[in-house]
Amino acid sequence: MPSQPNEVPSRCSGTWVETSKVAAELAAADFGGSVLGRPIEVLQADCQDKPDTGSTIARRWIDTDHIDALSDGAASDVGLAVSSVSREKKVPFMIVDPSDTCPSAA
């Protein structure tokens, strides 16, 4: 169970963040809502466009909430910070629309 419901590291607030979350929920529903009998849960958080906040959220989700994958991270600086955490913890991170031309260079 997540520490706080509806959390995903995200660069923006408002409509963009909500649209991104709704899209992920629709994709999960289209997939059948579960993987290997476990329900798919979409979390969302606002990292305030701060790399340290995004990486802290990602680390908490991985270590405390035991998430299976991370996604989004459109802000390159935040995406790179979360990517470092995901690489260290061996948790997949799917970057959606990065604002950098080489987000794997961190």
Side-chain angles (χ1 to χ4, degrees), residues 7-91:
E7 292 189 16
V8 166
S10 180
R11 176 181 184 185
C12 306
S13 59
T15 306
W16 174 256
V17 172
E18 188 59 31
T19 302
S20 181
K21 181 180 181 221
V22 169
E25 290 172 336
L26 289 171
D30 284 350
F31 193 73
S34 66
V35 174
L36 301 174
R38 295 175 58 195
I40 299 170
E41 183 177 2
V42 177
L43 308 176
Q44 179 177 329
D46 182 2
C47 68
Q48 295 122 28
D49 201 15
K50 297 177 183 173
D52 58 333
T53 302
S55 62
T56 297
I57 292 167
R59 194 173 297 281
R60 185 183 73 230
W61 283 347
I62 294 166
D63 293 341
T64 304
D65 300 327
H66 309 291
I67 57 98
D68 297 306
L70 294 163
S71 181
D72 212 348
S76 293
D77 53 350
V78 176
L80 290 171
V82 172
S83 178
S84 293
V85 172
S86 73
R87 188 177 316 116
E88 171 194 332
K89 300 291 186 172
K90 296 181 174 37
V91 170

